[in-house]
Amino acid sequence: LPTDVTKTDYGFVGWHDNENLEGDLITVIPENARGEKTFWAEWVEIYVVITNLVDGLPSIDEITIENKEIVVKAKTIYDSASQAQKDKVDSATLEKLVASANKIADIEAVNDVVAKINAIGKVAYNAQIKAKIDLAKEAYNNLRDDLKENVPAEKVEAMNTADETYNTIDEVVNIINAIGDVAYTSESRAKIDTALEAFEGLSEELQ
């Protein structure tokens, strides 16, 4: 039986085999059925659909990413509802829906930062790694202060270590590049010695 039926200001519940809408919902017509069959659609007002979805959510403190599908569904239905149906949603339900949607957004923001940090991988001196480090730092810095506390400390440390490591290598590379054309002068010798000292100061892994 079709389920993509619509009715203004109502949500489709299902089909019944009687006009009193009693008994279990009918989803399929038995293969051995014969003759004409009449089915009655059960509808419920949109505000009731929204209320039921929101009521089924846990408290805001217990909202997790697993609740995203229901939150998005309820929010989508609410946003597309007529003003008359929106007005029938009580303030407590609407407040919980908005708070739940905000909580999901916060969770996704934190998860996005963690994903960007994980994407850095092993630090190497190239533009791709530099871009990944900068992207992770930007995402982290854009978080609200309270959300930064939700990023695992080891992830923040990994990001900062990657940034420091890259900057250390970059500094050495700049010192080496500063040597320029080698000449038989004390100035050129000093630049070479400074570069050697900087390079040897790197760990074997970074060299």
Side-chain angles (χ1 to χ4, degrees):
L1 290 173
T3 57
D4 57 344
V5 292
T6 60
K7 181 179 179 182
T8 303
D9 285 346
Y10 284 84
F12 177 66
V13 176
W15 296 103
H16 287 274
D17 58 5
N18 63 90
E19 62 182 328
N20 294 323
L21 307 180
E22 297 175 343
D24 295 334
L25 295 174
I26 307 299
T27 57
V28 296
I29 300 176
E31 292 183 4
N32 59 353
R34 296 292 182 271
E36 289 189 2
K37 299 290 181 182
T38 301
F39 297 95
W40 287 261
E42 181 179 352
W43 302 91
V44 63
E45 286 193 75
I46 287 296
Y47 87 92
V48 176
V49 176
I50 297 168
T51 300
N52 289 341
L53 288 172
V54 175
D55 284 348
L57 292 170
S59 64
I60 301 304
D61 291 340
E62 296 177 342
I63 288 286
T64 67
I65 198 65
E66 283 71 30
N67 302 120
K68 178 182 177 179
E69 182 178 353
I70 299 299
V71 172
V72 171
K73 182 177 181 179
K75 186 69 166 52
T76 300
I77 294 174
Y78 179 84
D79 289 343
S80 61
S82 66
Q83 190 58 52
Q85 288 295 307
K86 288 180 178 179
D87 291 342
K88 289 185 177 182
V89 177
D90 66 71
S91 59
T93 298
L94 181 57
E95 182 179 338
K96 183 178 180 181
L97 175 57
V98 172
S100 297
N102 290 339
K103 179 69 177 292
I104 292 295
D106 288 346
I107 293 173
E108 290 188 317
V110 171
N111 289 347
D112 179 63
V113 170
V114 172
K116 283 180 169 61
I117 293 174
N118 290 339
I120 295 173
K122 185 177 181 179
V123 176
Y125 191 70
N126 58 60
Q128 290 79 12
I129 292 297
K130 175 61 175 171
K132 289 180 178 180
I133 293 173
D134 289 344
L135 196 62
K137 286 174 57 182
E138 180 181 15
Y140 177 78
N141 290 333
N142 285 338
L143 286 177
R144 299 196 312 267
D145 289 343
D146 60 311
L147 293 184
K148 288 178 181 178
E149 297 177 1
N150 294 336
V151 180
E154 63 270 20
K155 296 299 181 182
V156 178
E157 182 178 359
M159 177 185 68
N160 290 334
T161 298
D163 188 42
E164 292 170 3
T165 299
Y166 190 92
N167 289 337
T168 296
I169 298 173
D170 188 56
E171 183 179 350
V172 173
V173 170
N174 289 334
I175 292 173
I176 293 173
N177 289 337
I179 293 174
D181 295 331
V182 176
Y184 191 66
T185 64
S186 58
E187 181 181 2
S188 186
R189 177 72 259 176
K191 289 181 179 180
I192 294 172
D193 289 343
T194 299
L196 282 171
E197 182 180 1
F199 178 77
E200 291 171 354
L202 294 173
S203 64
E204 291 185 9
E205 183 180 8
L206 296 183
Q207 289 179 2

